[in-house]
Amino acid sequence: MKVLYGVLALLGIVLPYSQLIPWIYEHGLQLPLLIEEAARTRIGSFAWLDVIVSAIVLLVFIRYEGKRTGMKMSLCWVPILGTLTVGVSFGLPMFLMLRELHLKKMTVE
């Protein structure tokens, strides 16, 4: 599973950024324009609100599950930062991969 999670985390970076990087190249780092375009339609707002709620849930899950399984916070910062800078598409599979590695390490010791 850890390999699958790693591939999904990679896709979780590549796919979203394949759309963001050309937009930034064309418009620059204009955050107000980015927000305006993202929220231009109701369906766009729906999608963004869904992502925001999912990101909050994921951050809570990372904190809770990390503590529950005995993961060090130094290991959990990567998916937390990834969720905040890329999104749930990266943060969730990255956390699941790190959790798999941690659980495997715990059973070996």
Side-chain angles (χ1 to χ4, degrees):
M1 287 302 293
K2 63 184 178 258
V3 173
L4 176 60
Y5 290 143
V7 169
L8 292 172
L10 184 61
L11 285 174
I13 291 175
V14 170
L15 294 177
Y17 273 85
S18 73
Q19 300 305 304
L20 180 63
I21 290 172
W23 188 91
I24 290 174
Y25 183 74
E26 183 178 337
H27 301 285
L29 293 173
Q30 297 182 40
L31 189 58
L33 180 61
L34 177 68
I35 293 169
E36 177 190 329
E37 286 192 13
R40 184 169 287 154
T41 65
R42 285 190 183 272
I43 202 68
S45 295
F46 161 79
W48 275 106
L49 291 171
D50 182 63
V51 168
I52 290 168
V53 170
S54 297
I56 292 167
V57 170
L58 177 57
L59 294 173
V60 170
F61 175 70
I62 289 170
R63 179 94 169 136
Y64 172 80
E65 184 67 5
K67 232 181 223 189
R68 188 185 74 78
T69 59
M71 293 173 69
K72 295 179 182 175
M73 276 311 289
S74 61
L75 192 59
C76 293
W77 74 267
V78 173
I80 290 171
L81 184 63
T83 300
L84 296 173
T85 58
V86 177
V88 174
S89 63
F90 172 72
L92 178 58
M94 177 55 68
F95 176 72
L96 293 174
M97 182 185 77
L98 293 173
R99 184 182 69 163
E100 286 290 319
L101 291 170
H102 172 73
L103 292 174
K104 186 173 185 169
K105 181 181 172 189
M106 296 304 291
T107 59
V108 171
E109 291 179 355

PDB file of all heavy atoms in Angstrom, residues 55 58-60 62-63 73 75-87 90-92 94-95 98:
ATOM      1  N   ALA A  55      -9.945  19.645   3.739  1.00  0.00           N
ATOM      2  CA  ALA A  55      -8.604  19.951   4.248  1.00  0.00           C
ATOM      3  C   ALA A  55      -8.620  20.094   5.766  1.00  0.00           C
ATOM      4  O   ALA A  55      -7.721  19.585   6.448  1.00  0.00           O
ATOM      5  CB  ALA A  55      -8.069  21.223   3.597  1.00  0.00           C
ATOM      6  N   LEU A  58      -8.935  16.675   7.218  1.00  0.00           N
ATOM      7  CA  LEU A  58      -7.672  15.955   7.080  1.00  0.00           C
ATOM      8  C   LEU A  58      -6.645  16.416   8.110  1.00  0.00           C
ATOM      9  O   LEU A  58      -5.951  15.589   8.708  1.00  0.00           O
ATOM     10  CB  LEU A  58      -7.111  16.117   5.668  1.00  0.00           C
ATOM     11  CG  LEU A  58      -5.747  15.466   5.426  1.00  0.00           C
ATOM     12  CD1 LEU A  58      -5.777  13.970   5.751  1.00  0.00           C
ATOM     13  CD2 LEU A  58      -5.296  15.711   3.995  1.00  0.00           C
ATOM     14  N   LEU A  59      -6.555  17.717   8.348  1.00  0.00           N
ATOM     15  CA  LEU A  59      -5.600  18.218   9.342  1.00  0.00           C
ATOM     16  C   LEU A  59      -5.924  17.679  10.736  1.00  0.00           C
ATOM     17  O   LEU A  59      -5.027  17.287  11.481  1.00  0.00           O
ATOM     18  CB  LEU A  59      -5.573  19.743   9.332  1.00  0.00           C
ATOM     19  CG  LEU A  59      -5.030  20.380   8.048  1.00  0.00           C
ATOM     20  CD1 LEU A  59      -5.205  21.890   8.083  1.00  0.00           C
ATOM     21  CD2 LEU A  59      -3.589  19.997   7.797  1.00  0.00           C
ATOM     22  N   VAL A  60      -7.207  17.631  11.072  1.00  0.00           N
ATOM     23  CA  VAL A  60      -7.621  17.058  12.361  1.00  0.00           C
ATOM     24  C   VAL A  60      -7.278  15.562  12.394  1.00  0.00           C
ATOM     25  O   VAL A  60      -6.753  15.062  13.391  1.00  0.00           O
ATOM     26  CB  VAL A  60      -9.132  17.287  12.601  1.00  0.00           C
ATOM     27  CG1 VAL A  60      -9.635  16.496  13.799  1.00  0.00           C
ATOM     28  CG2 VAL A  60      -9.419  18.774  12.776  1.00  0.00           C
ATOM     29  N   ILE A  62      -4.941  13.941  10.681  1.00  0.00           N
ATOM     30  CA  ILE A  62      -3.490  13.753  10.771  1.00  0.00           C
ATOM     31  C   ILE A  62      -3.046  13.907  12.216  1.00  0.00           C
ATOM     32  O   ILE A  62      -2.271  13.103  12.737  1.00  0.00           O
ATOM     33  CB  ILE A  62      -2.739  14.740   9.855  1.00  0.00           C
ATOM     34  CG1 ILE A  62      -2.946  14.375   8.393  1.00  0.00           C
ATOM     35  CG2 ILE A  62      -1.249  14.781  10.188  1.00  0.00           C
ATOM     36  CD1 ILE A  62      -2.436  15.423   7.408  1.00  0.00           C
ATOM     37  N   ARG A  63      -3.535  14.929  12.868  1.00  0.00           N
ATOM     38  CA  ARG A  63      -3.150  15.178  14.266  1.00  0.00           C
ATOM     39  C   ARG A  63      -3.604  14.032  15.172  1.00  0.00           C
ATOM     40  O   ARG A  63      -2.837  13.502  15.965  1.00  0.00           O
ATOM     41  CB  ARG A  63      -3.762  16.509  14.711  1.00  0.00           C
ATOM     42  CG  ARG A  63      -3.477  16.871  16.110  1.00  0.00           C
ATOM     43  CD  ARG A  63      -2.278  17.760  16.185  1.00  0.00           C
ATOM     44  NE  ARG A  63      -2.228  18.292  17.542  1.00  0.00           N
ATOM     45  CZ  ARG A  63      -1.136  18.354  18.234  1.00  0.00           C
ATOM     46  NH1 ARG A  63      -0.004  17.994  17.713  1.00  0.00           N
ATOM     47  NH2 ARG A  63      -1.155  18.829  19.449  1.00  0.00           N
ATOM     48  N   MET A  73       5.480  14.165  15.647  1.00  0.00           N
ATOM     49  CA  MET A  73       4.996  15.307  14.868  1.00  0.00           C
ATOM     50  C   MET A  73       6.007  15.709  13.809  1.00  0.00           C
ATOM     51  O   MET A  73       5.634  16.282  12.789  1.00  0.00           O
ATOM     52  CB  MET A  73       4.661  16.494  15.776  1.00  0.00           C
ATOM     53  CG  MET A  73       3.276  16.430  16.389  1.00  0.00           C
ATOM     54  SD  MET A  73       1.944  16.064  15.205  1.00  0.00           S
ATOM     55  CE  MET A  73       1.881  17.579  14.283  1.00  0.00           C
ATOM     56  N   LEU A  75       7.287  13.796  11.808  1.00  0.00           N
ATOM     57  CA  LEU A  75       6.905  13.018  10.645  1.00  0.00           C
ATOM     58  C   LEU A  75       5.607  13.554  10.030  1.00  0.00           C
ATOM     59  O   LEU A  75       5.423  13.484   8.822  1.00  0.00           O
ATOM     60  CB  LEU A  75       6.727  11.553  11.051  1.00  0.00           C
ATOM     61  CG  LEU A  75       6.607  10.505   9.966  1.00  0.00           C
ATOM     62  CD1 LEU A  75       7.843  10.506   9.072  1.00  0.00           C
ATOM     63  CD2 LEU A  75       6.419   9.136  10.584  1.00  0.00           C
ATOM     64  N   CYS A  76       4.745  14.113  10.850  1.00  0.00           N
ATOM     65  CA  CYS A  76       3.442  14.583  10.379  1.00  0.00           C
ATOM     66  C   CYS A  76       3.483  15.957   9.722  1.00  0.00           C
ATOM     67  O   CYS A  76       2.536  16.345   9.050  1.00  0.00           O
ATOM     68  CB  CYS A  76       2.444  14.604  11.544  1.00  0.00           C
ATOM     69  SG  CYS A  76       2.035  12.962  12.157  1.00  0.00           S
ATOM     70  N   TRP A  77       4.572  16.699   9.870  1.00  0.00           N
ATOM     71  CA  TRP A  77       4.590  18.044   9.303  1.00  0.00           C
ATOM     72  C   TRP A  77       4.573  18.024   7.777  1.00  0.00           C
ATOM     73  O   TRP A  77       4.065  18.952   7.155  1.00  0.00           O
ATOM     74  CB  TRP A  77       5.772  18.857   9.821  1.00  0.00           C
ATOM     75  CG  TRP A  77       7.103  18.457   9.240  1.00  0.00           C
ATOM     76  CD1 TRP A  77       7.987  17.567   9.767  1.00  0.00           C
ATOM     77  CD2 TRP A  77       7.688  18.928   8.022  1.00  0.00           C
ATOM     78  NE1 TRP A  77       9.087  17.445   8.949  1.00  0.00           N
ATOM     79  CE2 TRP A  77       8.924  18.274   7.864  1.00  0.00           C
ATOM     80  CE3 TRP A  77       7.281  19.835   7.052  1.00  0.00           C
ATOM     81  CZ2 TRP A  77       9.760  18.496   6.767  1.00  0.00           C
ATOM     82  CZ3 TRP A  77       8.117  20.055   5.964  1.00  0.00           C
ATOM     83  CH2 TRP A  77       9.337  19.391   5.837  1.00  0.00           C
ATOM     84  N   VAL A  78       5.106  16.976   7.140  1.00  0.00           N
ATOM     85  CA  VAL A  78       5.128  16.918   5.672  1.00  0.00           C
ATOM     86  C   VAL A  78       3.708  16.891   5.105  1.00  0.00           C
ATOM     87  O   VAL A  78       3.373  17.727   4.256  1.00  0.00           O
ATOM     88  CB  VAL A  78       5.965  15.719   5.163  1.00  0.00           C
ATOM     89  CG1 VAL A  78       5.846  15.575   3.654  1.00  0.00           C
ATOM     90  CG2 VAL A  78       7.415  15.876   5.576  1.00  0.00           C
ATOM     91  N   PRO A  79       2.826  15.976   5.548  1.00  0.00           N
ATOM     92  CA  PRO A  79       1.471  16.011   5.005  1.00  0.00           C
ATOM     93  C   PRO A  79       0.677  17.245   5.438  1.00  0.00           C
ATOM     94  O   PRO A  79      -0.185  17.710   4.686  1.00  0.00           O
ATOM     95  CB  PRO A  79       0.830  14.722   5.514  1.00  0.00           C
ATOM     96  CG  PRO A  79       1.681  14.260   6.630  1.00  0.00           C
ATOM     97  CD  PRO A  79       3.046  14.799   6.385  1.00  0.00           C
ATOM     98  N   ILE A  80       0.972  17.799   6.606  1.00  0.00           N
ATOM     99  CA  ILE A  80       0.285  19.027   7.019  1.00  0.00           C
ATOM    100  C   ILE A  80       0.675  20.169   6.091  1.00  0.00           C
ATOM    101  O   ILE A  80      -0.190  20.867   5.545  1.00  0.00           O
ATOM    102  CB  ILE A  80       0.601  19.365   8.494  1.00  0.00           C
ATOM    103  CG1 ILE A  80      -0.080  18.359   9.417  1.00  0.00           C
ATOM    104  CG2 ILE A  80       0.172  20.791   8.832  1.00  0.00           C
ATOM    105  CD1 ILE A  80       0.330  18.450  10.876  1.00  0.00           C
ATOM    106  N   LEU A  81       1.970  20.350   5.882  1.00  0.00           N
ATOM    107  CA  LEU A  81       2.438  21.396   4.975  1.00  0.00           C
ATOM    108  C   LEU A  81       1.948  21.133   3.551  1.00  0.00           C
ATOM    109  O   LEU A  81       1.535  22.057   2.850  1.00  0.00           O
ATOM    110  CB  LEU A  81       3.966  21.483   5.016  1.00  0.00           C
ATOM    111  CG  LEU A  81       4.598  22.589   4.182  1.00  0.00           C
ATOM    112  CD1 LEU A  81       4.151  23.962   4.681  1.00  0.00           C
ATOM    113  CD2 LEU A  81       6.118  22.479   4.231  1.00  0.00           C
ATOM    114  N   GLY A  82       1.974  19.872   3.131  1.00  0.00           N
ATOM    115  CA  GLY A  82       1.493  19.519   1.800  1.00  0.00           C
ATOM    116  C   GLY A  82       0.025  19.824   1.609  1.00  0.00           C
ATOM    117  O   GLY A  82      -0.395  20.274   0.542  1.00  0.00           O
ATOM    118  N   THR A  83      -0.778  19.590   2.637  1.00  0.00           N
ATOM    119  CA  THR A  83      -2.202  19.905   2.558  1.00  0.00           C
ATOM    120  C   THR A  83      -2.408  21.407   2.426  1.00  0.00           C
ATOM    121  O   THR A  83      -3.251  21.861   1.646  1.00  0.00           O
ATOM    122  CB  THR A  83      -2.943  19.372   3.802  1.00  0.00           C
ATOM    123  OG1 THR A  83      -2.767  17.954   3.860  1.00  0.00           O
ATOM    124  CG2 THR A  83      -4.423  19.707   3.760  1.00  0.00           C
ATOM    125  N   LEU A  84      -1.623  22.181   3.161  1.00  0.00           N
ATOM    126  CA  LEU A  84      -1.781  23.637   3.130  1.00  0.00           C
ATOM    127  C   LEU A  84      -1.224  24.280   1.857  1.00  0.00           C
ATOM    128  O   LEU A  84      -1.676  25.350   1.458  1.00  0.00           O
ATOM    129  CB  LEU A  84      -1.112  24.253   4.367  1.00  0.00           C
ATOM    130  CG  LEU A  84      -1.731  23.855   5.704  1.00  0.00           C
ATOM    131  CD1 LEU A  84      -0.886  24.380   6.864  1.00  0.00           C
ATOM    132  CD2 LEU A  84      -3.167  24.344   5.808  1.00  0.00           C
ATOM    133  N   THR A  85      -0.238  23.644   1.218  1.00  0.00           N
ATOM    134  CA  THR A  85       0.374  24.244   0.030  1.00  0.00           C
ATOM    135  C   THR A  85      -0.064  23.610  -1.288  1.00  0.00           C
ATOM    136  O   THR A  85      -0.035  24.272  -2.319  1.00  0.00           O
ATOM    137  CB  THR A  85       1.920  24.174   0.111  1.00  0.00           C
ATOM    138  OG1 THR A  85       2.311  22.812   0.237  1.00  0.00           O
ATOM    139  CG2 THR A  85       2.438  24.997   1.263  1.00  0.00           C
ATOM    140  N   VAL A  86      -0.449  22.340  -1.254  1.00  0.00           N
ATOM    141  CA  VAL A  86      -0.898  21.659  -2.468  1.00  0.00           C
ATOM    142  C   VAL A  86      -2.381  21.358  -2.339  1.00  0.00           C
ATOM    143  O   VAL A  86      -3.187  21.800  -3.138  1.00  0.00           O
ATOM    144  CB  VAL A  86      -0.112  20.361  -2.733  1.00  0.00           C
ATOM    145  CG1 VAL A  86      -0.653  19.641  -3.963  1.00  0.00           C
ATOM    146  CG2 VAL A  86       1.373  20.648  -2.883  1.00  0.00           C
ATOM    147  N   GLY A  87      -2.735  20.602  -1.320  1.00  0.00           N
ATOM    148  CA  GLY A  87      -4.134  20.268  -1.103  1.00  0.00           C
ATOM    149  C   GLY A  87      -4.296  18.871  -0.541  1.00  0.00           C
ATOM    150  O   GLY A  87      -3.324  18.148  -0.293  1.00  0.00           O
ATOM    151  N   PHE A  90      -2.677  15.750  -2.149  1.00  0.00           N
ATOM    152  CA  PHE A  90      -1.315  15.371  -1.777  1.00  0.00           C
ATOM    153  C   PHE A  90      -1.238  14.972  -0.308  1.00  0.00           C
ATOM    154  O   PHE A  90      -0.632  13.963   0.038  1.00  0.00           O
ATOM    155  CB  PHE A  90      -0.336  16.514  -2.044  1.00  0.00           C
ATOM    156  CG  PHE A  90       1.042  16.247  -1.499  1.00  0.00           C
ATOM    157  CD1 PHE A  90       1.863  15.312  -2.100  1.00  0.00           C
ATOM    158  CD2 PHE A  90       1.503  16.905  -0.381  1.00  0.00           C
ATOM    159  CE1 PHE A  90       3.132  15.042  -1.593  1.00  0.00           C
ATOM    160  CE2 PHE A  90       2.765  16.653   0.137  1.00  0.00           C
ATOM    161  CZ  PHE A  90       3.575  15.712  -0.472  1.00  0.00           C
ATOM    162  N   GLY A  91      -1.845  15.762   0.559  1.00  0.00           N
ATOM    163  CA  GLY A  91      -1.716  15.541   2.000  1.00  0.00           C
ATOM    164  C   GLY A  91      -2.237  14.206   2.479  1.00  0.00           C
ATOM    165  O   GLY A  91      -1.596  13.544   3.303  1.00  0.00           O
ATOM    166  N   LEU A  92      -3.383  13.775   1.959  1.00  0.00           N
ATOM    167  CA  LEU A  92      -3.962  12.506   2.419  1.00  0.00           C
ATOM    168  C   LEU A  92      -3.114  11.300   2.018  1.00  0.00           C
ATOM    169  O   LEU A  92      -2.725  10.518   2.898  1.00  0.00           O
ATOM    170  CB  LEU A  92      -5.403  12.349   1.924  1.00  0.00           C
ATOM    171  CG  LEU A  92      -6.092  11.035   2.319  1.00  0.00           C
ATOM    172  CD1 LEU A  92      -6.129  10.850   3.828  1.00  0.00           C
ATOM    173  CD2 LEU A  92      -7.493  10.989   1.734  1.00  0.00           C
ATOM    174  N   MET A  94      -0.018  11.209   1.227  1.00  0.00           N
ATOM    175  CA  MET A  94       1.294  11.324   1.871  1.00  0.00           C
ATOM    176  C   MET A  94       1.201  10.879   3.323  1.00  0.00           C
ATOM    177  O   MET A  94       2.046  10.124   3.807  1.00  0.00           O
ATOM    178  CB  MET A  94       1.813  12.756   1.786  1.00  0.00           C
ATOM    179  CG  MET A  94       3.135  12.975   2.503  1.00  0.00           C
ATOM    180  SD  MET A  94       4.480  11.892   2.007  1.00  0.00           S
ATOM    181  CE  MET A  94       4.779  12.448   0.357  1.00  0.00           C
ATOM    182  N   PHE A  95       0.167  11.312   4.028  1.00  0.00           N
ATOM    183  CA  PHE A  95       0.011  10.884   5.419  1.00  0.00           C
ATOM    184  C   PHE A  95      -0.202   9.376   5.503  1.00  0.00           C
ATOM    185  O   PHE A  95       0.391   8.712   6.360  1.00  0.00           O
ATOM    186  CB  PHE A  95      -1.145  11.614   6.113  1.00  0.00           C
ATOM    187  CG  PHE A  95      -1.365  11.109   7.506  1.00  0.00           C
ATOM    188  CD1 PHE A  95      -0.471  11.412   8.514  1.00  0.00           C
ATOM    189  CD2 PHE A  95      -2.443  10.294   7.806  1.00  0.00           C
ATOM    190  CE1 PHE A  95      -0.641  10.917   9.810  1.00  0.00           C
ATOM    191  CE2 PHE A  95      -2.637   9.798   9.086  1.00  0.00           C
ATOM    192  CZ  PHE A  95      -1.728  10.112  10.090  1.00  0.00           C
ATOM    193  N   LEU A  98       3.105   7.632   5.037  1.00  0.00           N
ATOM    194  CA  LEU A  98       3.951   7.766   6.222  1.00  0.00           C
ATOM    195  C   LEU A  98       3.427   6.922   7.380  1.00  0.00           C
ATOM    196  O   LEU A  98       4.196   6.331   8.131  1.00  0.00           O
ATOM    197  CB  LEU A  98       4.068   9.235   6.627  1.00  0.00           C
ATOM    198  CG  LEU A  98       4.830  10.127   5.645  1.00  0.00           C
ATOM    199  CD1 LEU A  98       4.732  11.595   6.072  1.00  0.00           C
ATOM    200  CD2 LEU A  98       6.270   9.689   5.499  1.00  0.00           C
TER     201      LEU A  98
END
